[in-house]
Amino acid sequence: MLSRKPALLVSLAVLFSISVLHARTPKSHLLFSITSDSKARLGVINAEDKSMSLEVNSMAGETLFSKVISKNDDFFQMLDLSAMPDGEYKVVLTGADQNFEKRFTVTNHVARLKKVIKNCEPFFHVINNEVLAVSYLNPEYSKVNVFFELNDDVLYEDRAISGSPISRKYSLKQLPKGEYTVKLYSDGKIFSYPLAIK
């Protein structure tokens, strides 16, 4: 029995060492933080056997910075964000098994990280049976379309709504009575709301 304990301890130690080494194996990811003086620490850990593309874009689609990171290579750089025009920006890393994105805003030469909101749903609310209020955060700044459907026919549509967030009010006074479906389309997603006009 005594001879088995050291062998067991050695086996456990080897297993622990392997699991620690496995846990320390770096995975590709984007590093982005902003200092108090609006400097950005930008970095990429590329543990892939392929190159990646790093960009800093305005929400209007203008590319302000781009870099291709070679396979199994890392990249680090400081950027001064204080001279950028006021607005919202995103840092995007593509080419890994998953894409990475960080967002930040610049206001009066001060840069701040912005939390990315995912999987948010629109809010529908009927006011006094006369108005339908629709609110949607639209975190991706997508073009949004709203349709009022009755028996699979579109009776009213509001297309290419832009901005973030979006807020609309629709009068229900002129709609014929019936069981409607209000649909909001955004970035390939469809949200439906049943609406009864009596």
Side-chain angles (χ1 to χ4, degrees):
M1 292 291 274
L2 291 175
S3 61
R4 285 187 180 180
K5 279 190 177 179
L8 180 62
L9 290 174
V10 169
S11 298
L12 288 174
V14 169
L15 284 173
F16 178 74
S17 299
I18 290 171
S19 65
V20 168
L21 285 174
H22 181 69
R24 288 183 183 168
T25 302
K27 291 190 175 183
S28 299
H29 57 275
L30 171 66
L31 305 169
F32 184 76
S33 62
I34 299 175
T35 66
S36 59
D37 59 347
S38 296
K39 303 284 192 305
R41 296 183 188 106
L42 181 60
V44 174
I45 304 296
N46 185 356
E48 311 284 332
D49 197 24
K50 53 188 174 183
S51 62
M52 295 185 188
S53 177
L54 176 66
E55 290 186 350
V56 178
N57 301 319
S58 70
M59 294 310 292
E62 181 185 1
T63 301
L64 306 167
F65 175 87
S66 65
K67 174 77 177 174
V68 174
I69 295 100
S70 302
K71 62 181 182 177
N72 295 309
D73 202 4
D74 299 334
F75 169 78
F76 300 97
Q77 184 166 333
M78 293 289 288
L79 298 174
D80 185 1
L81 307 178
S82 63
M84 296 175 71
D86 285 2
E88 186 172 342
Y89 301 87
K90 61 183 176 179
V91 182
V92 181
L93 178 66
T94 56
D97 288 336
Q98 77 175 83
N99 293 338
F100 297 90
E101 182 176 309
K102 299 278 189 178
R103 292 196 180 183
F104 66 95
T105 59
V106 177
T107 307
N108 296 326
H109 308 290
V110 177
R112 289 191 175 89
L113 277 173
K114 184 172 183 183
K115 184 177 179 181
V116 176
I117 303 168
K118 294 186 177 180
N119 299 325
C120 61
E121 295 190 4
F123 176 72
F124 299 90
H125 178 66
V126 177
I127 304 168
N128 298 326
N129 294 320
E130 295 182 347
V131 173
L132 174 67
V134 180
S135 301
Y136 181 54
L137 289 176
N138 196 22
E140 302 300 322
Y141 282 77
S142 304
K143 295 292 184 187
V144 173
N145 300 317
V146 176
F147 295 92
F148 284 71
E149 296 180 1
L150 179 64
N151 300 324
D152 295 325
D153 291 326
V154 177
L155 295 187
Y156 177 78
E157 59 187 58
D158 190 4
R159 289 184 172 271
I161 308 165
S162 60
S164 177
I166 289 171
S167 181
R168 284 283 202 271
K169 290 185 178 178
Y170 301 99
S171 174
L172 306 177
K173 294 178 183 178
Q174 303 300 318
L175 289 177
K177 293 179 181 178
E179 300 290 327
Y180 289 81
T181 301
V182 180
K183 292 183 179 176
L184 185 148
Y185 296 80
S186 173
D187 196 30
K189 298 183 289 290
I190 303 172
F191 304 96
S192 297
Y193 177 75
L195 175 66
I197 305 291
K198 299 177 181 179

